[in-house]
Amino acid sequence: MKLIALCLIGATVTNGLRFVPRQSIASSIHRNFLSSTDSTPENSNVNEFAAPVPAVTVDDSDDEAFDFDKLTEESSTQAFQTKTDISNLIVKTERKAPRQAQWFPMLLSPSPLDGSFAGDVGFDPIGFSKDKETLYKMREAEIKHCRLAMLAAAGWPLSELWHAEIANTLGLDSILAAEGKAPSVLNGGLDNTWILAAALVSLLVGGLLEFRTMEMSQRSGYKPGNLDFDPLNLYSFRASFGLDQITEKISREEKLARAKFDMELCEIKNGRLAMLAISAYAAQEFVSGIPVVQQTPFFFVIGKLFV
């Protein structure tokens, strides 16, 4: 019987607490806390210089108007508000992923080599192009060497094929080196008067081209090597063939831009090949001692037809 009585008492207390509003509970706790702070013992260690705590009056009539959900929502909103201006710390520039080098897999190209130039495959193992300014200078030097090498790669074998006949026709002495080789530093053929005169003319022409380069580089949108010299209109030669896809609808300006980029690509590829070729000419003749036109005569069949 005692056990049954205890269970009935516990159920009654639980049902009574179930219907007590939570606002009333909070107000009671707050009121008890304030009353406990007011009844401070006289012998307690309270700092006499502490600022007095203002009295707070709790009105039980406002219990129903106190909204805990609204207070929670306001607190959470204020907690995540930015109290410091960080607008100047936000990076507004567009970031790009590193470009993969096309000349060798699993390697990344240097950041200045972004593919904007024709023939850019991300090849710079020594690190010459440290920034955009240095890249422009190196590109300018490469274009100049490419153009000079293309002239030399054609002139070297043609001089070995045609020079002797032209000199005999005009009654002049041949300036070819021993065994009919083209004059070069390695075979000692640059120590005659005609070579010195040609060198002076080359310096004069080179100076004029450098002056033109400096003038063109001051223009906006200048590309290294673009001297605005195209008398045969070959810069946009590819656009006349309509090599773009028929289903691709692009403007005339876009076609011309693609054509110019392709012509730049052809020039840089042929120029790089010519630099390798002219170096191979000099090395082959130095090692073998015979002209290159005699080493590989099948490459110069067309040239021999005019001899």
Side-chain angles (χ1 to χ4, degrees):
M1 294 298 290
K2 293 181 179 181
L3 180 61
I4 296 175
L6 290 175
C7 291
L8 292 175
I9 294 172
T12 304
V13 173
T14 304
N15 294 331
L17 291 176
R18 184 180 303 172
F19 295 100
V20 177
R22 57 181 177 179
Q23 290 86 349
S24 300
I25 297 175
S27 300
S28 301
I29 296 173
H30 193 188
R31 186 167 48 254
N32 294 333
F33 173 76
L34 292 176
S35 60
S36 63
T37 55
D38 292 340
S39 58
T40 305
E42 295 181 357
N43 57 352
S44 60
N45 296 329
V46 179
N47 190 356
E48 62 180 355
F49 298 101
V53 180
V56 180
T57 304
V58 179
D59 190 0
D60 293 339
S61 62
D62 295 338
D63 288 346
E64 297 297 334
F66 195 79
D67 192 350
F68 273 93
D69 294 335
K70 184 178 180 180
L71 178 61
T72 305
E73 183 179 357
E74 291 178 357
S75 301
S76 61
T77 303
Q78 295 176 0
F80 291 98
Q81 288 181 351
T82 305
K83 299 180 177 60
T84 306
D85 185 13
I86 60 172
S87 59
N88 58 341
L89 302 177
I90 299 176
V91 180
K92 299 181 180 179
T93 57
E94 182 181 358
R95 294 183 178 181
K96 296 182 179 179
R99 176 171 169 258
Q100 186 175 4
Q102 299 178 9
W103 70 279
F104 193 82
M106 298 178 295
L107 292 182
L108 298 178
S109 62
S111 55
L113 301 178
D114 55 0
S116 57
F117 287 141
D120 180 10
V121 294
F123 180 80
D124 189 16
I126 303 180
F128 287 123
S129 304
K130 298 180 180 179
D131 49 29
K132 278 290 185 181
E133 183 179 359
T134 308
L135 175 62
Y136 270 68
K137 293 180 181 179
M138 299 301 295
R139 180 70 170 194
E140 191 81 50
E142 183 184 26
I143 290 291
K144 292 176 181 178
H145 283 80
C146 284
R147 291 169 178 172
L148 184 61
M150 285 188 284
L151 293 175
W156 187 297
L158 291 179
S159 65
E160 295 179 348
L161 291 173
W162 296 350
H163 177 74
E165 297 293 334
I166 295 175
N168 291 334
T169 302
L170 299 177
L172 300 175
D173 295 334
S174 175
I175 61 173
L176 293 177
E179 300 181 4
K181 293 182 291 186
S184 67
V185 177
L186 297 179
N187 57 28
L190 301 180
D191 56 350
N192 59 71
T193 307
W194 289 101
I195 297 297
L196 295 177
L200 292 177
V201 174
S202 300
L203 289 176
L204 178 61
V205 175
L208 294 175
L209 293 176
E210 286 296 325
F211 178 78
R212 179 63 175 173
T213 301
M214 294 176 61
E215 181 182 3
M216 293 294 297
S217 61
Q218 302 300 324
R219 300 183 181 181
S220 60
Y222 168 76
K223 284 187 176 182
N226 183 12
L227 302 182
D228 200 16
F229 178 79
D230 188 20
L232 299 179
N233 198 24
L234 297 178
Y235 199 13
S236 58
F237 181 68
R238 173 188 172 277
S240 62
F241 286 92
L243 298 180
D244 296 303
Q245 296 180 5
I246 299 177
T247 57
E248 188 177 11
K249 296 181 180 180
I250 58 177
S251 62
R252 182 177 181 274
E253 290 74 14
E254 181 65 21
K255 288 184 178 181
L256 291 176
R258 291 185 181 184
K260 291 180 178 181
F261 190 84
D262 286 349
M263 292 302 292
E264 294 173 2
L265 181 61
C266 293
E267 181 185 30
I268 197 69
K269 284 185 175 181
N270 284 276
R272 290 169 179 173
L273 182 61
M275 287 190 287
L276 294 175
I278 196 65
S279 302
Y281 289 168
Q284 287 177 221
E285 290 193 355
F286 178 75
V287 173
S288 64
I290 59 177
V292 292
V293 294
Q294 297 180 14
Q295 297 177 31
T296 55
F298 48 87
F299 285 151
F300 310 103
V301 176
I302 298 178
K304 290 183 178 180
L305 297 178
F306 298 93
V307 178

